[in-house]
Amino acid sequence: MSDLLLDQPPAGASAERSRRGGRAGKRVSGGASFDQPPFRQLHIPYANTRIVSEDELESIHLASLRVLNEIGVDVLHDEARRIMKAHGADVQEGSERVRFDGDMLLELIAHAPSEFTVHARNPAHNLRFGGNNLIFAQMGSAPNCSDLDRGRRSGNQQDFRNFVKLAQVHNIIHATGGYPVEPTDIHPSIRHLECIRDLATLTDKVFHAYSLGRERNVDAIEIARIARGISREQLMNEPSLYSIINTNSPLKLDVPMMEGIIQMSSMGQVIIVTPFTLAGAMAPVTIAGAVVQQNAEALAGIAFTQMVRKGAPVGYGGFTSNVDMKSGAPAFGTPEYIKAQLLGGQLARRYKIPYRTSNVCAANQVDAQAAYESVFSLWGAIQGGANFMLHSAGWLEGGLRCSYEKMMVDIDLLQMVAEFLTPIDLSEDALAIDAIRDVGPGGHFFGTPHTQARYKTAFYSPIISDWRNFETWAEAGSPTALERANRLWKERLAAYEEPAMDPAIREELDAFVAKRTAEGGAPTDF
Amino acid sequence: MSDLLLDQPPAGASAERSRRGGRAGKRVSGGASFDQPPFRQLHIPYANTRIVSEDELESIHLASLRVLNEIGVDVLHDEARRIMKAHGADVQEGSERVRFDGDMLLELIAHAPSEFTVHARNPAHNLRFGGNNLIFAQMGSAPNCSDLDRGRRSGNQQDFRNFVKLAQVHNIIHATGGYPVEPTDIHPSIRHLECIRDLATLTDKVFHAYSLGRERNVDAIEIARIARGISREQLMNEPSLYSIINTNSPLKLDVPMMEGIIQMSSMGQVIIVTPFTLAGAMAPVTIAGAVVQQNAEALAGIAFTQMVRKGAPVGYGGFTSNVDMKSGAPAFGTPEYIKAQLLGGQLARRYKIPYRTSNVCAANQVDAQAAYESVFSLWGAIQGGANFMLHSAGWLEGGLRCSYEKMMVDIDLLQMVAEFLTPIDLSEDALAIDAIRDVGPGGHFFGTPHTQARYKTAFYSPIISDWRNFETWAEAGSPTALERANRLWKERLAAYEEPAMDPAIREELDAFVAKRTAEGGAPTDF
């Protein structure tokens, strides 16, 4: 499968443009009218960094099993408890507490696939999840957004759509990650219908559905099916939608989570179980303890997907970080965060479950802090063997904000990471002994045939970094990375083109959304 | 040796303060009146990331040997060529070209120690170079400096001293790295005398001498000897000074370099051979080719140290990066730079020579770009198994500037890296099963005994990162990392205390500098 994904021409409307541009080198015309590397499935070719020994890893694993066996989790959903009991979990009548036997859990988890394809409506944008594959998904779930011109504000539909368009336009963004910003101007009862239709039409990439009540999952699954133009049976065998389940840490699985797993897993769609274990707040103050708890919660959720349907595609999500013990505010991109990322990766690999992590920061502005916290997160993600990185682009302010400028900086960072993951050319020609001989001691390589033949594509060409010398840069008004990002997102948004969709499919999709909207959408209490 | 370095009380004048403060946790009183982690020898406990296979590494090694054998290097120093010829190199009368046999080179290099101690005048600041030890040295050699208040300017003695004091005051800076900024207000003939006396008196950490002519090396070695109060014989057995040799790429070794190696290596002092191989300019445009050339030049220089004195302490320096092919400007912290860092680390380990790399960026301002380029450099350094990181703190503008604010941001980054390298506590208590049991599903860990006992020292506490929520941060005037760094360096500089020195040693040092100054210092043409 993954071979199919390599160097495919871009999707739909932009294929023609791509044929004109060709694939001459590292910067070729992509899905829009600017140069960028082509859409491709990334792989991490390097060994993951092991932060603990096998024995130490086992001690964490065993501690998690003790937590699940001796303490257990509270499961607030009656049907879920019945399913768990049917699979041998210790469930007492009249209590929400569920305890698990370790062997039973491991037997269930062994049914989960270690690698699978997630299907997009454009097959060129299909993604491999697991193995050494790496997927970058846009930021999700910010209540606010900001740009340098208009400042910080609550999310609305226009900003939501702008961010989704930026995700479509950039080949390095493999998938959207939920709602990049919450469109608070759409009533919650029908918000999911509007938003998921947008995700399915404004992009042709893999998308996410929130698990916020049964109806929303059912609607999202149907939209994913219609958009791909396939039967329910085909959908069941071809994961085409994913949903993140954040456990209610510590040790609580609530009704919408369990309904989400039941709907998604029974339909063969992807669940990524991600405990939200902030050390010192919802988890122990020690990194080891927080990860023990993360692991216990993840194992419980992952096992439940396999109770619902053996072989259901599922990911192991790690989100452990620390809080500022002075204020309780969450911190990201910290040394503790990187350690938890590496440890989470080792655990996920132990269970052979694809691993999800994030590109996150706590900064309030796209300044040095935002950048170093993000690159530390990328460091932990890549060295930890991430398979899926949510919040890859746009995340600011601990997730409370999606920033247009941060999105552009992140896209540059992601493109740099992709280039870092591309193996070094070690051909005879690249070793360049003849070129070194031709130039000789004291010479210069500018303008030599070896350089001339390669200089246009030899190096990654950044979109944000400014490499001008000080004088030239100062004459240009001393622009910061933030200011360059501000100019760039507007250019990139202007280059957006809606990907083609079969008119019959579009009609079916609109009819479904209209029908569900007329029915009132999903129930709310207001 | 390295055990001795762990958790030592800080040096001289500040020891008393430290005893008052104790070492309760991660932030204890250090060499000055603020909280910081103690001075300690760092280790990289994780496996290095291998970017190429053993076979591929061998192809680079063999290509480098071919370059040295078939092309050779130009050696501009007559005595050096005589020494090389005496050791079996192919030297033709009337030509500067020297060619080397691979076996001869490898035999020589095998004499270099794989790990050794570099001595500071304060033994608590001795450093281990090699193995999995990691040393952070301040930036060196910037012609300019800047701060947010006074902008960018040529270096002078006051700024030079300020940066040196900041290096002394921060425990995470293990050594100075030459002149953080060039004090252009001191005449070059005596600049080295003034500067090295400052390095030896304003700090009690390991320092560097430039190889810019025989006299300067001889003077620096004598100052290092006097400052430690030891004999020449003891000095020969105890490396107490280091010098970076940047080869004149491509493939040229000039007079000051060779004189530097002859003086330093014959006296048992540390040479770090660092080719300055910018791909596309002084080296082939391919990363493989640039590293082949880097490796050839490094091997030639390292072998020469062993011709001068078998067993002389020497390091393998990697500085390969790419240039902006549009302007020829050097770029740093790029994907190509990280690849070269990892590859350099693999090569240095192949030869069992301690590895030197850098923390560098091309940014003109302490903005997001400066931060992400730096953290990418740190990523490559740590995963590449760096033993010595020059330019650890202060580097801006491709090395043309040392920035007060960048220095503070870098110190935060280095402290974070140090914390990342500290193993996770996996004790029964840290696994926290009992704490998880006590809190139970749906509870909270704030204020529990397990948290209370640990919260003060559980997490790294940053000096630049601002974790306040948006509202509080905005009320405080929305300070960027740059602005916070600006406030901080002034506080830190004010906390500087000159480390104690035996008055007799100080007198001898001053007398030596006075005598050499009276003699005119080192010859210059102006």
Side-chain angles (χ1 to χ4, degrees):
Chain A
M1 180 64 243
S2 71
D3 279 349
L4 268 182
L5 301 173
L6 284 167
D7 300 323
Q8 286 288 321
S14 24
E16 186 181 50
R17 187 181 303 273
S18 170
R19 277 194 298 275
R20 281 204 309 273
R23 310 191 267 110
K26 278 175 189 152
R27 287 167 73 78
V28 303
S29 182
S33 56
F34 54 87
D35 281 351
Q36 62 175 330
F39 185 97
R40 65 188 174 102
Q41 175 73 60
L42 300 178
H43 309 277
I44 300 180
Y46 314 127
N48 308 129
T49 296
R50 295 156 50 91
I51 192 166
V52 298
S53 69
E54 284 302 303
D55 284 352
E56 290 168 336
L57 193 68
E58 209 55 18
S59 75
I60 291 172
H61 161 70
L62 292 173
S64 301
L65 293 190
R66 277 188 60 196
V67 167
L68 289 170
N69 190 257
E70 297 173 15
I71 305 166
V73 298
D74 278 357
V75 179
L76 309 194
H77 188 263
D78 299 340
E79 186 190 346
R81 282 201 310 279
R82 277 194 296 275
I83 294 171
M84 288 173 172
K85 188 177 176 112
H87 282 83
D90 175 10
V91 181
Q92 303 297 322
E93 201 62 47
S95 163
E96 290 169 333
R97 189 66 56 94
V98 180
R99 295 181 177 80
F100 301 90
D101 173 70
D103 290 339
M104 176 201 80
L105 273 177
L106 294 179
E107 193 276 328
L108 279 164
I109 285 168
H111 292 282
S114 59
E115 189 177 332
F116 51 87
T117 296
V118 191
H119 295 257
R121 73 172 168 95
N122 176 356
H125 290 166
N126 287 357
L127 299 170
R128 289 293 286 174
F129 189 24
N132 74 346
N133 297 287
L134 174 64
I135 298 166
F136 292 145
Q138 187 177 34
M139 166 175 202
S141 313
N144 307 296
C145 66
S146 73
D147 62 64
L148 200 51
D149 309 296
R150 288 169 296 169
R152 183 182 188 266
R153 56 197 181 269
S154 275
N156 60 48
Q157 191 174 34
Q158 194 194 341
D159 286 313
F160 168 90
R161 286 179 167 167
N162 284 346
F163 282 116
V164 168
K165 289 173 180 177
L166 285 170
Q168 172 66 13
V169 120
H170 288 100
N171 292 333
I172 196 69
I173 307 290
H174 300 113
T176 46
Y179 311 161
V181 68
E182 194 75 25
T184 53
D185 51 352
I186 310 174
H187 194 274
S189 60
I190 59 160
R191 190 181 295 166
H192 70 289
L193 293 166
E194 289 292 336
C195 287
I196 296 174
R197 173 169 55 185
D198 279 352
L199 293 174
T201 56
L202 299 180
T203 89
D204 58 4
K205 296 180 177 180
V206 165
F207 58 92
H208 168 274
Y210 291 98
S211 290
L212 292 169
R214 203 186 68 84
E215 294 82 0
R216 290 188 178 85
N217 288 98
V218 171
D219 287 340
I221 291 168
E222 181 63 4
I223 291 174
R225 187 195 67 75
I226 297 170
R228 288 197 57 215
I230 59 174
S231 67
R232 281 179 65 85
E233 194 182 9
Q234 188 174 349
L235 185 76
M236 282 188 69
N237 294 315
E238 293 181 354
S240 308
L241 183 68
Y242 75 100
S243 184
I244 305 284
I245 300 285
N246 289 128
T247 56
N248 211 332
S249 304
L251 301 177
K252 229 169 156 173
L253 300 169
D254 68 20
V255 175
M257 295 168 195
M258 297 291 95
E259 290 191 339
I261 293 179
I262 291 170
Q263 293 307 319
M264 294 283 289
S265 296
S266 66
M267 281 300 292
Q269 304 307 299
V270 185
I271 285 288
I272 302 178
V273 183
T274 310
F276 190 33
T277 34
L278 287 178
M282 300 90 97
V285 75
T286 52
I287 289 301
V291 172
V292 164
Q293 187 186 308
Q294 166 192 297
N295 196 47
E297 295 177 8
L299 290 178
I302 292 167
F304 184 62
T305 64
Q306 302 305 304
M307 296 178 191
V308 171
R309 187 187 181 202
K310 286 207 169 59
V314 61
Y316 181 119
F319 206 80
T320 297
S321 194
N322 53 309
V323 297
D324 177 359
M325 294 306 298
K326 288 192 283 288
S327 67
F332 295 104
T334 60
E336 293 77 16
Y337 181 74
I338 306 177
K339 288 178 176 183
Q341 281 179 299
L342 296 184
L343 198 45
Q346 273 188 265
L347 286 162
R349 283 190 295 285
R350 187 203 181 285
Y351 306 119
K352 299 188 173 61
I353 308 282
Y355 179 47
R356 172 247 149 145
T357 181
S358 312
N359 171 20
V360 285
C361 67
N364 285 305
Q365 193 157 326
V366 188
D367 63 355
Q369 180 187 343
Y372 66 67
E373 288 177 335
S374 274
V375 183
F376 276 129
S377 298
L378 294 173
W379 182 346
I382 300 304
Q383 296 295 146
N387 297 114
F388 187 94
M389 190 161 67
L390 192 62
H391 309 309
S392 282
W395 174 290
L396 203 65
E397 206 192 308
L400 294 177
R401 185 164 21 133
C402 190
S403 153
Y404 283 88
E405 287 84 16
K406 178 65 161 33
M407 175 139 181
M408 300 316 297
V409 170
D410 282 333
I411 284 168
D412 211 9
L413 298 180
L414 298 177
Q415 291 185 167
M416 284 189 251
V417 167
E419 181 60 32
F420 165 56
L421 298 177
T422 306
I424 298 178
D425 179 3
L426 291 164
S427 64
E428 196 62 27
D429 207 42
L431 291 174
I433 296 179
D434 290 338
I436 295 171
R437 194 193 320 273
D438 291 347
V439 167
H444 208 288
F445 289 81
F446 264 139
T448 65
H450 188 264
T451 302
Q452 284 295 319
R454 289 165 186 77
Y455 80 95
K456 280 185 186 162
T457 57
F459 309 129
Y460 171 69
S461 190
I463 60 172
I464 295 293
S465 300
D466 190 331
W467 290 343
R468 290 178 290 187
N469 66 30
F470 178 79
E471 290 73 16
T472 315
W473 171 80
E475 272 166 31
S478 307
T480 62
L482 174 60
E483 289 155 354
R484 296 190 295 275
N486 177 258
R487 185 180 46 73
L488 192 62
W489 71 257
K490 296 168 195 167
E491 291 173 20
R492 293 292 170 93
L493 191 56
Y496 172 79
E497 294 171 21
E498 190 164 319
M501 179 176 254
D502 181 320
I505 288 180
R506 177 70 201 218
E507 204 175 309
E508 187 182 353
L509 200 53
D510 288 341
F512 174 77
V513 170
K515 173 176 142 288
R516 289 287 299 121
T517 301
E519 289 169 3
T524 57
D525 10 348
F526 53 102
Chain B
M1 178 66 241
S2 71
D3 279 347
L4 268 181
L5 300 173
L6 285 166
D7 301 323
Q8 287 288 321
S14 25
E16 186 182 52
R17 188 179 302 271
S18 169
R19 276 193 298 275
R20 282 206 307 275
R23 315 189 266 109
K26 277 171 190 155
R27 287 168 72 79
V28 303
S29 181
S33 55
F34 53 86
D35 281 350
Q36 63 176 327
F39 184 98
R40 66 189 174 103
Q41 175 73 60
L42 299 178
H43 310 278
I44 301 180
Y46 314 127
N48 308 130
T49 296
R50 296 156 51 90
I51 192 165
V52 297
S53 70
E54 284 301 304
D55 284 352
E56 290 168 335
L57 192 69
E58 207 56 16
S59 74
I60 291 172
H61 162 70
L62 293 173
S64 301
L65 292 189
R66 278 188 61 198
V67 167
L68 289 170
N69 190 257
E70 298 173 15
I71 305 166
V73 299
D74 278 356
V75 179
L76 309 194
H77 189 264
D78 299 340
E79 187 191 345
R81 283 201 307 282
R82 278 194 296 275
I83 294 170
M84 289 172 172
K85 189 177 176 111
H87 282 83
D90 175 9
V91 182
Q92 303 295 323
E93 201 61 48
S95 163
E96 290 169 334
R97 189 66 57 93
V98 179
R99 293 181 178 80
F100 301 90
D101 173 69
D103 290 340
M104 178 200 79
L105 274 177
L106 294 180
E107 193 277 326
L108 279 164
I109 286 168
H111 292 284
S114 60
E115 189 176 332
F116 51 87
T117 296
V118 191
H119 295 258
R121 73 171 170 94
N122 176 355
H125 290 165
N126 289 356
L127 299 170
R128 289 294 286 175
F129 189 25
N132 74 346
N133 297 288
L134 174 64
I135 298 166
F136 292 145
Q138 187 178 32
M139 160 171 210
S141 314
N144 307 297
C145 65
S146 73
D147 62 66
L148 199 52
D149 308 297
R150 288 169 296 169
R152 184 181 186 265
R153 57 195 180 271
S154 277
N156 59 47
Q157 190 174 34
Q158 195 194 343
D159 286 312
F160 169 89
R161 286 179 167 167
N162 283 346
F163 282 116
V164 167
K165 288 174 182 176
L166 286 170
Q168 172 65 14
V169 120
H170 287 100
N171 292 333
I172 195 70
I173 307 291
H174 299 112
T176 46
Y179 311 161
V181 69
E182 194 75 25
T184 53
D185 51 351
I186 310 175
H187 193 274
S189 60
I190 59 160
R191 191 181 294 165
H192 70 289
L193 293 166
E194 289 293 336
C195 287
I196 297 174
R197 173 169 53 187
D198 278 353
L199 294 173
T201 56
L202 298 180
T203 88
D204 58 3
K205 296 180 177 180
V206 165
F207 57 93
H208 168 274
Y210 291 98
S211 291
L212 291 170
R214 203 186 67 83
E215 294 81 0
R216 291 188 178 83
N217 289 99
V218 171
D219 287 340
I221 291 169
E222 181 62 5
I223 291 174
R225 185 195 67 75
I226 296 170
R228 289 197 57 216
I230 60 174
S231 67
R232 280 178 67 85
E233 193 182 11
Q234 189 175 348
L235 185 76
M236 282 188 69
N237 294 315
E238 293 181 354
S240 308
L241 183 68
Y242 75 99
S243 184
I244 306 285
I245 300 285
N246 289 129
T247 57
N248 210 332
S249 304
L251 301 175
K252 230 169 157 173
L253 300 169
D254 68 19
V255 175
M257 294 168 196
M258 296 291 95
E259 290 192 339
I261 293 179
I262 291 170
Q263 293 306 320
M264 294 284 288
S265 295
S266 67
M267 281 299 293
Q269 303 307 299
V270 184
I271 286 288
I272 302 177
V273 183
T274 310
F276 189 34
T277 35
L278 288 178
M282 301 90 96
V285 75
T286 52
I287 288 301
V291 172
V292 164
Q293 187 185 307
Q294 166 192 296
N295 195 46
E297 296 178 6
L299 290 179
I302 292 167
F304 185 62
T305 64
Q306 303 304 305
M307 296 177 189
V308 172
R309 187 186 182 200
K310 287 206 169 60
V314 60
Y316 181 120
F319 206 80
T320 297
S321 194
N322 54 309
V323 297
D324 178 0
M325 294 307 296
K326 289 193 284 286
S327 67
F332 295 104
T334 61
E336 292 78 16
Y337 181 75
I338 306 178
K339 288 178 177 184
Q341 282 180 300
L342 296 183
L343 199 45
Q346 273 188 266
L347 285 162
R349 282 191 296 284
R350 187 203 180 285
Y351 306 119
K352 300 188 172 62
I353 308 281
Y355 180 48
R356 173 245 148 146
T357 182
S358 312
N359 171 19
V360 285
C361 67
N364 285 304
Q365 195 157 324
V366 188
D367 63 355
Q369 180 186 342
Y372 65 67
E373 289 177 335
S374 274
V375 183
F376 276 130
S377 298
L378 294 173
W379 182 344
I382 299 305
Q383 296 294 147
N387 297 116
F388 187 94
M389 189 159 69
L390 193 63
H391 309 309
S392 283
W395 173 291
L396 204 64
E397 206 193 308
L400 295 177
R401 185 162 23 130
C402 191
S403 152
Y404 283 88
E405 287 84 14
K406 178 64 159 35
M407 175 138 181
M408 300 316 299
V409 169
D410 282 333
I411 284 168
D412 211 8
L413 298 180
L414 299 177
Q415 291 183 167
M416 283 189 252
V417 167
E419 182 60 32
F420 165 54
L421 298 177
T422 305
I424 298 178
D425 179 3
L426 291 163
S427 63
E428 196 62 29
D429 207 43
L431 291 174
I433 297 179
D434 290 338
I436 295 171
R437 193 192 320 270
D438 291 347
V439 168
H444 209 287
F445 289 81
F446 265 139
T448 65
H450 188 265
T451 302
Q452 284 296 319
R454 288 165 187 78
Y455 80 96
K456 280 186 187 162
T457 57
F459 310 130
Y460 171 68
S461 190
I463 60 173
I464 295 293
S465 301
D466 191 330
W467 291 345
R468 289 177 289 186
N469 67 30
F470 178 79
E471 289 72 17
T472 314
W473 171 79
E475 273 166 33
S478 307
T480 63
L482 174 60
E483 289 155 353
R484 295 191 296 273
N486 177 258
R487 185 180 45 71
L488 192 61
W489 71 258
K490 296 168 195 167
E491 292 173 18
R492 292 293 170 94
L493 190 57
Y496 172 78
E497 294 171 22
E498 190 165 320
M501 178 176 252
D502 181 319
I505 288 180
R506 177 70 201 217
E507 203 175 312
E508 187 182 352
L509 200 54
D510 288 341
F512 174 76
V513 170
K515 173 176 142 287
R516 289 287 298 120
T517 301
E519 289 167 5
T524 59
D525 2 341
F526 52 100

